[in-house]
Amino acid sequence: MDRPWFDQETGTLLLDEYVLEMDSYRRIVEDDVISDDELVEQTQRVASLLRRLEEALSSEAKALATETLGELAVLNTLQVKRLQTTSMLPQ
Amino acid sequence: MGTFNSSKTFPYVVEDLAPVAQDVMHHFEDQDYEVTETNIATGGVQVSIRRGGTFKAIIGMKTALNIKIEPQANGTRVEAGVGIFGQQAIPTAITLLVFWPVVIAQVWNMAQEANLDDEALDVAEDSLKARSEASSGATAQ
């Protein structure tokens, strides 16, 4: 998974492209139905990865990662709120 | 101006907006942009333009500068914004991706740095003005 986060030519973020290639994503969206088990499994996967990440990072890198994940969560909240107001997601 | 779009309403009424869309398409086609048009339910037309380097593909779907030309009560509204080539709405599957807002902002910044949004609005305005005048001249005769 040691791949660039940004397109070298355009500078655009590539992470969404990688998400689409992940087995976990493909498996979950394959049938367009997200079961309780799939949701639980994914939350456990994320929690486990965050734990490993926390242990692997230096103090400086951890501070940066904490800020990045926090800002990403804020962006995600904004996006969900906006999609809700445009009725693309259930309220 | 919206979050990731530029828009203006011009005081020109043109009954058939298809030729205006054609003018916008030809303008960018001459600069080697890939172009296409889509009819909008409101009676307007959307022109999509893209060229590699600025507009990347996301989930295999091509991003583009979409230029919507729509009739209003006393004029015509033109809006230029980032979207999917040849599509009026961005598919939900894309909008749900966590990093989509970052990507759309980056593509929009590149389009703005190239002044593509202003250029699109200017071309549409020139065409609307010319065709509006031609239409009123023909009516006067």
Side-chain angles (χ1 to χ4, degrees), chain A residues 2-33:
Chain A
D2 184 15
R3 301 158 81 181
W5 288 3
F6 292 91
D7 185 297
Q8 290 188 330
E9 189 190 344
T10 64
T12 47
L13 196 58
L14 296 170
L15 291 175
D16 275 340
E17 300 293 329
Y18 302 158
V19 170
L20 299 173
E21 297 168 10
M22 293 171 78
D23 286 342
S24 53
Y25 180 83
R26 287 183 170 206
R27 223 172 29 243
I28 287 168
V29 298
E30 205 169 41
D31 55 4
D32 260 348
V33 177

Side-chain angles (χ1 to χ4, degrees), chain B residues 52-69:
Chain B
T54 304
F55 299 99
K56 72 185 289 277
I58 299 170
I59 326 185
M61 307 194 83
K62 300 167 175 176
T63 56
L65 187 74
N66 285 345
I67 305 141
K68 280 185 190 169
I69 308 164

Side-chain angles (χ1 to χ4, degrees), chain A residues 6 9-17 19-20 25 72 75-76 79 82-83 88-89, chain B residues 3 53 56-59 90 92-93 95-103 106-107 110:
Chain A
F6 292 91
E9 189 190 344
T10 64
T12 47
L13 196 58
L14 296 170
L15 291 175
D16 275 340
E17 300 293 329
V19 170
L20 299 173
Y25 180 83
L72 185 58
L75 175 62
N76 192 43
Q79 181 73 343
R82 178 165 278 204
L83 289 173
M88 292 176 78
L89 286 178
Chain B
T3 315
K56 72 185 289 277
I58 299 170
I59 326 185
I90 298 168
T92 309
T95 59
L96 290 177
L97 291 169
V98 172
F99 296 105
W100 162 255
V102 178
V103 175
Q106 289 180 312
V107 174
M110 280 188 276

Side-chain angles (χ1 to χ4, degrees), chain A residues 27-91:
Chain A
R27 223 172 29 243
I28 287 168
V29 298
E30 205 169 41
D31 55 4
D32 260 348
V33 177
I34 296 159
S35 68
D36 290 349
D37 285 348
E38 285 172 331
L39 190 59
V40 169
E41 186 191 326
Q42 186 61 20
T43 57
Q44 289 170 342
R45 188 177 293 115
V46 170
S48 167
L49 282 167
L50 286 172
R51 191 170 294 280
R52 282 173 53 196
L53 185 65
E54 184 180 26
E55 288 166 3
L57 291 172
S58 67
S59 174
E60 192 182 347
K62 186 181 165 189
L64 184 59
T66 303
E67 186 181 357
T68 305
L69 290 168
E71 295 295 355
L72 185 58
V74 172
L75 175 62
N76 192 43
T77 305
L78 292 176
Q79 181 73 343
V80 169
K81 290 277 181 198
R82 178 165 278 204
L83 289 173
Q84 279 179 337
T85 56
T86 55
S87 301
M88 292 176 78
L89 286 178
Q91 304 264 352

